[in-house]
Amino acid sequence: MKSNTISSTEQKQDNIRIFIRNLSIVFAAGCLGGLLNSLMVWIFGFTGITAIFNVQIAPTLTPSWLYPRIVWGGIWGFVFLLPFYQRKYLWKGILLSLLPTLVQLFIVFPLQAKKGILGVELGSLTPVFVLLFNFVWGITAAFWLKISR
């Protein structure tokens, strides 16, 4: 009887270790996605790609701009714990990238940045760029998850 209790305790500890490992992996995947997303946003602004399309997104690459984007990318990475498309990483990354896109377009731009719904005050094609940049986040995070598991 005692050995069953020990194995049950060991199983619980293993489950906790697995859960903590999964939390760490999805956070790291989201951070990497946030880094690549941010670098893409900066490159598009720096090279004038966004300006060509009359979109006023051209941030300066500074630690104060980059750090919160990486951390938020990691926080958004927790959505990869949702139990669907377990083996279809690319599709899961694309679908989950829609969540931060919706938050950016319907909460951040209009309420925090005061740039209107969809950020249209930055340019009428702003939603397209936000979608593209967040696809980079989702696909990068999904790729990291695929190679790390």
Side-chain angles (χ1 to χ4, degrees):
M1 185 84 165
K2 205 171 199 181
S3 65
N4 287 343
T5 306
I6 292 172
S7 82
S8 173
T9 302
E10 289 173 355
Q11 181 63 41
K12 288 177 186 175
Q13 289 174 342
D14 283 345
N15 288 343
I16 291 170
R17 275 193 284 274
I18 291 168
F19 180 71
I20 290 171
R21 186 182 72 216
N22 286 338
L23 283 178
S24 299
I25 290 170
V26 297
F27 183 77
C31 285
L32 181 61
L35 174 62
L36 291 184
N37 164 293
S38 299
L39 291 175
M40 187 173 177
V41 171
W42 174 73
I43 288 168
F44 273 51
F46 182 77
T47 60
I49 294 171
T50 51
I52 290 169
F53 294 95
N54 295 318
V55 173
Q56 299 169 21
I57 298 177
T60 305
L61 188 61
T62 62
S64 63
W65 177 77
L66 188 58
Y67 177 75
R69 297 175 59 79
I70 293 171
V71 172
W72 274 106
I75 292 169
W76 275 109
F78 292 130
V79 298
F80 279 91
L81 294 171
L82 294 172
F84 72 94
Y85 283 146
Q86 298 293 60
R87 299 285 177 214
K88 297 184 180 198
Y89 292 96
L90 179 63
W91 284 111
K92 189 168 188 172
I94 289 170
L95 285 174
L96 291 178
S97 74
L98 297 175
L99 296 174
T101 298
L102 292 172
V103 169
Q104 182 73 35
L105 296 176
F106 292 102
I107 295 173
V108 175
F109 281 147
L111 302 178
Q112 291 180 334
K114 307 294 186 209
K115 298 299 179 186
I117 293 177
L118 304 176
V120 293
E121 290 180 25
L122 295 170
S124 60
L125 291 178
T126 298
V128 174
F129 282 100
V130 171
L131 189 64
L132 173 67
F133 297 148
N134 283 329
F135 277 164
V136 169
W137 169 81
I139 291 168
T140 301
F143 174 74
W144 185 258
L145 290 171
K146 182 176 183 173
I147 65 170
S148 66
R149 289 190 171 161

